Amino acid sequence: MPEPTRPSLDEVNRSVPVPSVYETSFFQKFLAYSGPGALVAIGYMDPGNWLTSLAGGSQYRYQLLAVLVMAILVAMFMQDLAIKLGVVARQDLAQAIAAQVPTPVRITLWLLNEVAMMATDLTGVVGTAIALKLLFGLPLVYGILLTVADVLIVLLFLHFGIRRIEFIVLVAILTVGLIFAIEVWRAQPVPSAIARGLVPSLSLLTNHEKLILSVGIIGATIMPHNLYLHSALAQSRRYDEHDPAQVTEALRFARWDSTVHLIAALIINALLLILGGTLFFGKTGQLSSLQAVYQGLKNSAIVGTLASPLMSWLFALALLITGLISSITSTLSGQIVMEGYIHIRLPLWQRRLLTRFVTLVPIILIGWAVGFNDHTFESLIVYAQVVLSIALPFTLFPLIHLTDQSPLMGNHVNRRAIAVIGYGLTAVITVFNLQLLLSVFS
């Protein structure tokens, strides 16, 4: 098996200088390493997460907040392993897997993950198209075609460095968080009820419908593309990889970056669930449609005196921002998977366009098959979560196995407890996802 001929995301690999381990400014170091976590965090607040969080709030008020917290904690654990692979082994997850499996397995895993990347991209593309329709009345098909432009945006800003993209994504996260904080503040939820929702209850396991929705939240939260993306972006910082102390510090600050931004993602998803639980619980049943939420926010029969066009407009604006940014990061993930598994060699702009068209063409074909029907097309987001749930174990098990190998990880190999926890969590997630599959197709 030949080694990859270029570093992961070679146009940004080792492109950001960071302070030496022998310098003392914590804040300066944190700022230098901060950024990859923001790009990953946006994947934890894409339209698929929106649907599960809003549905959870509208059906069970705040009771599933505990599930969100647990899902993000598991995500932090898995992202930490992806960071470690990138920083210590200087390989992304696709490269590391491809280097250790025979060609038939490598091609099979590439195809499986390519389908998963399409599903990931679908949620961003569909979310963007829906937001454009809500804001400007643009038909879905034109909104989908316009998402090709985000590839050009990536190319433009990468010309000026990955830090530009990281800054834009950080501003996007802060903007979306501010929008939902305003909407939740206007909705005036009950703090004591929110606090009770943060405590797990036995009904999460005994109530079948609540269990299914909980599994959906977990499935929508932990997605394969974030692990591939983080293992590559962790290599964007330029440090002395031959100095063990420097490698250890790079790991420490990359973990800080990841933790801070995943907490931000948790807060935004929690605000969505609280919004759904405050405004729609006991009034409209399950709100599985983003367009239904948009209409509900300006309908006084549903949300009473809080109804206003501004509330709806802010909701659609936040959807547009997260849809655009998440589709950009999924394009990057698609490039990582394609290059890592099959070592494709093309100029940068061709690689980016190929990655986008590989996912966009099937979306157009599916849309054409269903006549770009609003409700049917939006339901594709739900089915995309099912596809991701199928692919997830094929990402998590190799990740834990790779970071458990001393020849690859050296002194940073997983401690025994970490390996046991990792395999245990992956087994539980796999069982949950099988449960989700059975519920969808039963």
Side-chain angles (χ1 to χ4, degrees):
M1 177 70 206
E3 290 296 317
T5 57
R6 56 161 61 98
S8 180
L9 291 180
D10 57 330
E11 64 273 18
V12 302
N13 194 282
R14 295 179 57 82
S15 64
V16 181
V18 295
S20 164
V21 65
Y22 304 106
E23 298 178 41
T24 58
S25 174
F26 176 91
F27 186 67
Q28 182 183 4
K29 291 179 180 180
F30 176 77
L31 288 180
Y33 281 97
S34 184
L39 281 151
V40 171
I42 205 73
Y44 287 97
M45 56 184 84
D46 72 355
N49 294 86
W50 284 42
L51 283 177
T52 51
S53 295
L54 286 166
S58 66
Q59 284 187 271
Y60 300 108
R61 206 180 182 194
Y62 313 133
Q63 295 178 48
L64 299 186
L65 281 171
V67 176
L68 274 179
V69 174
M70 288 186 287
I72 288 293
L73 289 175
V74 175
M76 287 179 178
F77 180 92
M78 297 301 176
Q79 295 296 156
D80 181 78
L81 297 182
I83 291 168
K84 187 160 65 171
L85 180 65
V87 170
V88 176
R90 302 300 300 178
Q91 297 180 57
D92 66 49
L93 183 56
Q95 291 172 337
I97 294 174
Q100 298 200 20
V101 299
T103 298
V105 177
R106 177 170 59 88
I107 298 302
T108 301
L109 288 174
W110 168 63
L111 291 172
L112 177 65
N113 280 284
E114 202 64 63
V115 173
M117 294 304 114
M118 291 180 193
T120 301
D121 213 17
L122 184 146
T123 61
V125 169
V126 172
T128 301
I130 290 170
L132 289 171
K133 179 180 179 180
L134 295 176
L135 288 169
F136 308 111
L138 194 68
L140 288 178
V141 62
Y142 297 121
I144 292 167
L145 291 173
L146 275 177
T147 61
V148 176
D150 66 32
V151 178
L152 304 178
I153 294 172
V154 172
L155 288 170
L156 173 64
F157 283 100
L158 278 181
H159 179 71
F160 299 103
I162 189 66
R163 294 294 274 174
R164 297 293 191 280
I165 294 182
E166 291 171 351
F167 177 75
I168 290 170
V169 172
L170 178 60
V171 171
I173 291 173
L174 293 174
T175 302
V176 171
L178 179 62
I179 287 172
F180 287 128
I182 292 171
E183 297 208 333
V184 169
W185 174 73
R186 292 193 72 236
Q188 296 183 333
V190 180
S192 59
I194 294 174
R196 288 193 297 272
L198 292 170
V199 180
S201 67
L202 189 60
S203 64
L204 293 175
L205 297 176
T206 57
N207 184 309
H208 179 72
E209 291 185 358
K210 194 181 292 186
L211 174 63
I212 294 300
L213 192 50
S214 298
V215 171
I217 289 175
I218 293 172
T221 301
I222 306 168
M223 294 183 288
H225 84 285
N226 279 327
L227 300 170
Y228 286 98
L229 183 63
H230 217 160
S231 63
L233 292 176
Q235 301 175 53
S236 63
R237 270 47 188 174
R238 185 167 68 248
Y239 52 86
D240 184 0
E241 60 194 82
H242 303 295
D243 183 344
Q246 184 70 67
V247 172
T248 299
E249 179 166 275
L251 268 176
R252 181 162 70 98
F253 280 97
R255 286 164 172 162
W256 270 104
D257 170 51
S258 177
T259 300
V260 168
H261 287 102
L262 286 182
I263 289 173
L266 168 63
I267 291 171
I268 289 175
N269 280 306
L271 288 172
L272 270 167
L273 191 146
I274 292 168
L275 186 69
T278 305
L279 297 183
F280 303 110
F281 176 68
K283 298 180 181 179
T284 60
Q286 182 177 359
L287 288 176
S288 59
S289 166
L290 296 170
Q291 297 183 72
V293 175
Y294 173 82
Q295 297 298 334
L297 286 171
K298 56 182 178 181
N299 187 342
S300 59
I302 297 176
V303 299
T305 57
L306 291 175
S308 73
L310 177 61
M311 290 275 282
S312 290
W313 185 85
L314 287 173
F315 178 85
L317 177 62
L319 178 61
L320 178 63
I321 293 171
T322 53
L324 281 171
I325 300 297
S326 64
S327 64
I328 289 173
T329 57
S330 63
T331 300
L332 290 172
S333 304
Q335 178 184 336
I336 294 164
V337 165
M338 190 175 291
E339 291 183 351
Y341 279 111
I342 61 175
H343 307 159
I344 190 168
R345 299 177 184 177
L346 292 171
L348 177 58
W349 68 272
Q350 292 182 16
R351 277 184 276 149
R352 284 278 151 72
L353 284 176
L354 176 60
T355 301
R356 171 39 57 95
F357 279 111
V358 162
T359 57
L360 195 61
V361 170
I363 295 172
I364 293 290
L365 292 176
I366 293 170
W368 176 78
V370 300
F372 291 96
N373 176 271
D374 291 3
H375 178 74
T376 304
F377 208 60
E378 188 172 333
S379 69
L380 292 176
I381 295 177
V382 177
Y383 289 102
Q385 307 308 313
V386 176
V387 174
L388 293 173
S389 73
I390 296 172
L392 189 56
F394 294 95
T395 300
L396 294 181
F397 279 115
L399 174 62
I400 297 164
H401 174 71
L402 288 165
T403 53
D404 205 29
Q405 294 186 5
S406 295
L408 185 65
M409 303 304 297
N411 293 332
H412 296 282
V413 67
N414 292 337
R415 297 193 303 274
R416 188 61 184 164
I418 294 296
V420 170
I421 292 171
Y423 282 120
L425 287 173
T426 303
V428 170
I429 291 170
T430 301
V431 171
F432 278 2
N433 284 329
L434 288 174
Q435 179 79 353
L436 176 63
L437 290 174
L438 291 174
S439 71
V440 170
F441 294 109
S442 61

